């Protein structure tokens, strides 16, 4: 949004909560003064921009203005050095509520093994695909009890991303993040109505949605020995077709330590979270506890078994060779569920200081659960250690935010495949710092991270389909590409800028605009490395949108 010649003003395109820290960024030039006008032309706020500072990740200069004094809901006009900014400035008491709903509804749109009805999916209604009732055991997953070629059933679950496969490792962190959102902000989610088939039943929609995936996850465990299959997949990626048109044979591929422990962690979390709803969910929590314990025992017997992608399997490896973080996470959740000292000792043995979570790095998830249930920890020393670990991380991220020309904790090296989710998982960890200390700067920094993905970035794009003024149109998402509808399926977070450009060969003739970390994004279907969507990226979007809506003081 251009203001003065050469100056672009970037801000959160969904608007600000009345009580939020409200930062906007002007890029290019050296803007000085701003004013904010009401729709009737009356000036309600005047102020000055900070200095214009160059940022390596974008190669441009940015200046920040703080409009936090603007607390009255409404639509305003921002002027920079007298020039009106085209985008409206919005203050809205529900600024992030619809975003949280849409981001959660996206999971419904990615349900496998079911038709989406028009009353729930609107124009995105579609036929069922991938029943997954006859899944073949691949040689990489064979055991004496289930040799290669035998057939098992594992229906439901969410498609991982823009592809149609189902991967335990990535599903684990995604499901946990939704369950954590519920545990931390129950009042927010209790009131939401997503318009999914289960809406209106005795259970909050977020738990109904997560249940769809948990049922599948349960079926990914080999009942014979507690081992967990790494993934359920075709041997090659399908074309860009609708689910029902992808009829290639599906396989259980691999077994490994990461899948078993991620599974154990999520099942232990679910046993805890769903316990109050056990009348509604058959066999909970006993079934999940047993599944978690069996997977844990399997992992103890196979403590260092990385997933290795077989030669004849192309899709998503989600391979990871370091298991301390998975052990720490599973141990933490199993400790909270059972209170058994064995699990606490395992947590202490494996836990490293928490970092920003990602699918290969899940240690922090255990810390977050422990902090939320601090009353269940063995003693005060344990409580202090957990709180201090989370606070140190929040302080580190807040310092980066404070020092950044864009007021964002993202560093040039954070621009990896799925960088928008890095930004949101940074926010998730800042929010843990805020929940522990009530230090306002942690909340403000988390807000900035959400602002970043919603438009306060050098591309001026709000990266969530259908949420904002300039949003992705051509995500790498098979249903969005194949359904014949111009608008992509709504509520999906695009992966975001990624200078790795690992899709360059598939995007020949569609050049990326830039190699700069924060600019390397392509709104084209070919760009799975910058414009795909994924459940593990949408989950922290749900969490952060709900958290800011719930935690920001009025
Ligand atoms: O582990 C190395 C690290 O040691 C190194 O410092 C770093 C430098 O770039 O790279 C790290 O590996 C990266 C790996 O993710 C782990 O973070 C790779 O470069 C990077 O290419 C890899 O990207 C993953 C991508 O699949 C390719 O495997 C993404 O994280 C992951 O989100 C993405 O997931 C795909 C699934 O495979 C298939 N379904 C869609 C989904 C989303 O695109
Ligand atoms: O569609 C696939 C996407 O989900 C993955 O993230 C990506 C990387 O593993 O691969 C995509 O599939 C492409 C394949 O890797 C190469 N040929 C083109 C495929 C689809 O455009």
């Amino acid at each position: 949004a251009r203001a003065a010649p050469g100056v672009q003003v970037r801000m959160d395109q969904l608007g600000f909560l009345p009580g939020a820290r409200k930062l906007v960024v002007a890029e290019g030039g050296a803007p000085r003064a701003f004013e904010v006008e009401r729709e009737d032309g009356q000036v309600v706020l005047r102020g000055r921009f900070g200095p214009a500072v160059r940022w390596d990740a974008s190669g441009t200069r940015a200046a920040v203005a703080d409009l936090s004094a603007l607390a009255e809901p409404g639509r305003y006009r921002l002027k920079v050095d007298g020039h009106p900014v085209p985008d409206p400035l919005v203050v809205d008491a529900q600024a992030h509520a619809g975003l949280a709903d849409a981001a959660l509804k996206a999971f419904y749109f990615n349900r496998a093994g079911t038709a989406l009805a028009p009353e729930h999916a609107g124009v995105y209604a579609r036929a069922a695909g991938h029943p997954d009732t006859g899944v073949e055991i691949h040689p990489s997953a064979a055991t004496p009890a289930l040799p290669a070629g035998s057939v098992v059933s594992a229906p439901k679950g969410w498609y991982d991303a823009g592809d149609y496969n189902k991967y335990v490792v990535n599903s684990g962190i995604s499901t946990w993040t939704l369950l954590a959102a519920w545990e931390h902000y129950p009042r927010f989610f209790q009131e939401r109505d997503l318009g999914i088939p289960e809406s209106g039943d005795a259970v909050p929609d977020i738990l109904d949605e997560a249940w769809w995936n948990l049922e599948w996850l349960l079926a990914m465990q080999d009942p014979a020995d507690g081992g967990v299959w790494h993934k359920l997949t075709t041997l090659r990626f399908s074309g860009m077709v609708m689910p029902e048109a992808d009829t290639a044979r599906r396989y259980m591929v691999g077994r490994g330590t990461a899948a078993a422990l991620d599974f154990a962690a999520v099942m232990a979390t679910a046993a805890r979270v769903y316990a109050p709803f056990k009348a509604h969910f058959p066999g909970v929590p006993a079934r999940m506890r047993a599944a978690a314990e069996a997977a844990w025992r399997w992992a103890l017997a196979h403590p260092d078994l990385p997933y290795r992608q077989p030669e004849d399997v192309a899709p998503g490896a989600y391979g990871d060779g370091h298991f301390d973080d998975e052990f720490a996470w599973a141990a933490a959740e199993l400790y909270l569920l059972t209170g058994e000292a064995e699990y606490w000792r395992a947590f202490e043995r494996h836990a490293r200081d928490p970092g920003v979570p990602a699918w290969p790095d899940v240690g922090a998830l255990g810390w977050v659960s422990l902090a939320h249930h601090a009353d269940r920890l063995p003693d005060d020393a344990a409580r202090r250690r957990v709180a201090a670990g989370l606070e140190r991380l929040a302080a580190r991220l807040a310092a980066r935010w404070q020092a950044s020309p864009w007021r964002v904790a993202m560093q040039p090296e954070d621009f990896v495949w799925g960088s928008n989710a890095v930004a949101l998982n940074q926010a998730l960890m800042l929010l843990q710092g805020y929940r522990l200390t009530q230090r306002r700067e942690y909340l403000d920094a988390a807000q900035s991270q959400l602002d970043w993905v919603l438009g306060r970035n050098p591309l001026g794009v709000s990266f969530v389909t259908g949420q904002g003024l300039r949003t992705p149109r051509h995500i790498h998402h098979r249903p969005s590409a194949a359904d014949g509808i111009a608008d992509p399926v709504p509520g999906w977070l695009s992966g975001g800028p990624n200078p790795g450009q690992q899709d360059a060969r598939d995007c020949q003739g569609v050049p990326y605009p830039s190699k700069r970390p924060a600019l390397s994004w392509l709104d084209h279907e070919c760009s799975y490395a910058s414009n795909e969507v994924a459940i593990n990226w949408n989950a922290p979007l749900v969490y952060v949108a709900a958290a800011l809506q719930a935690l920001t003081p009025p």
Side-chain angles (χ1 to χ4, degrees):
R2 190 175 293 273
V7 175
Q8 305 280 345
V9 174
R10 309 298 193 192
M11 59 185 150
D12 189 323
Q13 293 175 18
L14 295 186
F16 298 98
L17 294 164
R21 187 77 184 271
K22 304 176 191 73
L23 303 180
V24 305
V25 169
E27 201 182 11
R32 293 146 70 111
F34 69 82
E35 45 189 35
V36 178
E37 288 177 5
R38 275 200 324 234
E39 283 185 310
D40 63 8
Q42 165 121 27
V43 176
V44 290
L45 186 68
R46 284 180 220 277
R48 304 194 69 77
F49 277 86
V53 180
R54 190 176 175 283
W55 192 31
D56 276 350
S58 62
T60 55
R61 293 200 306 163
V64 178
D66 190 340
L67 318 182
S68 301
L70 195 67
E72 188 70 27
R75 276 170 80 88
Y76 301 89
R77 167 77 57 216
L78 176 64
K79 287 185 172 167
V80 175
D81 292 329
H83 300 272
V85 174
D87 290 356
L89 177 64
V90 175
V91 177
D92 174 1
Q94 297 297 317
H96 306 313
L99 172 66
D101 289 349
L104 187 51
K105 182 79 178 253
F107 288 82
Y108 164 76
F109 286 121
N110 250 29
R111 284 189 188 187
T114 186
L116 308 187
E119 63 263 44
H120 308 119
V123 293
Y124 303 100
R126 60 165 171 80
H130 309 96
D132 290 336
T133 47
V135 181
E136 195 171 314
I137 301 285
H138 185 268
S140 59
T143 61
L146 278 175
S150 41
V151 165
V152 294
S153 175
K156 303 190 178 179
W158 300 308
Y159 300 128
D160 181 57
D163 65 324
Y164 291 137
N165 302 304
K166 306 192 289 195
Y167 310 87
V168 167
V169 164
N170 199 47
S171 224
I173 181 172
S174 310
T175 309
W176 179 92
T177 302
L178 296 187
L179 298 184
W182 158 257
E183 269 200 311
H184 299 178
Y185 315 108
R187 254 184 303 152
F188 175 80
F189 287 105
Q190 234 141 20
E191 291 164 7
R192 313 310 299 172
D193 181 346
L194 293 185
I196 59 176
E198 299 80 8
S199 293
D201 69 6
V203 178
D205 284 358
I206 189 170
L207 294 187
D208 280 322
E209 192 50 53
W211 186 258
W212 185 266
N213 199 53
L214 285 162
E215 280 190 276
W216 164 67
L217 267 177
L218 277 170
M220 291 301 284
Q221 185 171 44
D222 180 347
D225 64 0
V228 176
W229 294 299
H230 188 75
K231 59 181 175 178
L232 191 170
T233 180
T234 50
L235 297 183
R236 318 224 68 82
F237 281 115
S238 78
M240 301 301 276
V241 298
M242 292 302 281
E244 76 271 20
D246 174 24
T247 54
R249 188 180 296 273
R250 311 240 301 168
Y251 294 84
M252 293 298 189
V253 177
R255 295 149 68 93
T257 310
L261 289 170
D262 287 354
F263 175 99
V266 174
M267 286 304 156
T269 306
R272 173 178 88 230
V273 168
Y274 286 81
F277 302 97
K278 60 174 177 244
H280 194 85
F281 293 111
V284 168
R287 192 165 150 227
M288 285 169 165
R289 172 170 175 167
E293 289 173 330
W296 172 263
R297 283 193 299 273
W298 189 93
L300 288 182
H302 307 83
D304 196 15
L305 189 61
Y307 170 73
R308 289 198 200 294
Q309 181 94 317
E311 292 246 309
D312 60 337
V313 178
Y318 287 118
D320 173 14
H322 302 279
F323 306 118
D324 271 330
D325 56 314
E326 284 83 6
F327 268 110
W329 178 30
E333 304 296 357
L334 277 158
Y335 172 73
L336 291 176
L337 180 65
T338 66
E340 287 169 16
E342 175 211 339
Y343 294 119
W344 182 256
R345 282 195 298 272
F347 175 76
E348 293 209 299
R349 210 161 44 246
H350 291 286
R352 307 284 174 271
D353 268 357
V356 175
W359 66 260
D361 195 356
V362 290
L365 310 182
W367 291 73
V368 172
S369 289
L370 292 172
H372 185 69
H373 295 286
D375 55 317
R376 301 189 198 175
L377 299 195
D379 51 37
D380 279 340
R383 277 185 275 278
R384 274 197 303 274
R385 179 178 171 210
V386 167
L390 291 169
E391 282 174 45
R392 271 196 303 276
L393 176 58
R396 215 160 57 232
L397 292 167
R400 288 185 205 160
W401 165 74
Q402 195 65 255
S404 148
W406 277 82
R407 285 306 200 85
V408 64
M410 296 290 282
Q411 304 295 301
E413 62 273 19
D414 290 326
F415 290 91
V416 295
W417 192 315
S419 65
N420 279 333
V422 175
L424 292 171
N425 277 313
Q426 291 174 339
L428 188 149
M429 297 313 292
L430 282 159
L431 287 161
Q432 305 318 309
Y434 180 70
R435 296 174 70 232
L436 285 162
T437 63
Q438 302 292 307
R439 286 190 58 169
R440 184 63 205 230
E441 65 166 330
Y442 298 156
L443 185 71
D444 292 348
Q447 177 68 57
S448 277
Q449 301 294 107
L450 183 62
D451 293 346
W452 169 265
V453 306
L454 296 176
R456 198 229 290 166
N457 59 62
L459 293 164
V461 171
S462 171
F463 284 105
V464 185
T465 55
Q467 296 280 322
L469 303 171
R470 288 172 297 280
T471 58
R473 302 290 303 160
H474 309 288
I475 49 176
H476 185 88
H477 180 238
R478 281 163 176 72
S480 295
D483 62 8
I485 295 162
D487 290 333
V489 174
W492 282 110
L493 176 71
S494 164
N498 168 21
Q501 302 187 358
Q502 292 90 335
D503 48 17
R505 211 162 350 132
D506 289 291
C507 293
Q508 264 173 28
V510 199
Y512 273 82
S514 169
K515 276 237 153 213
R516 296 245 183 227
L519 301 178
S520 181
W521 181 73
L522 199 52
D523 186 14
H524 192 286
E525 241 167 69
C526 68
S527 186
Y528 47 81
S530 84
N531 202 29
E532 191 166 352
V533 304
I535 54 174
N536 63 312
W537 305 338
N538 252 60
L541 177 62
V542 172
Y543 184 100
V544 172
L548 289 169
Q549 187 68 50
L551 295 176
T552 305

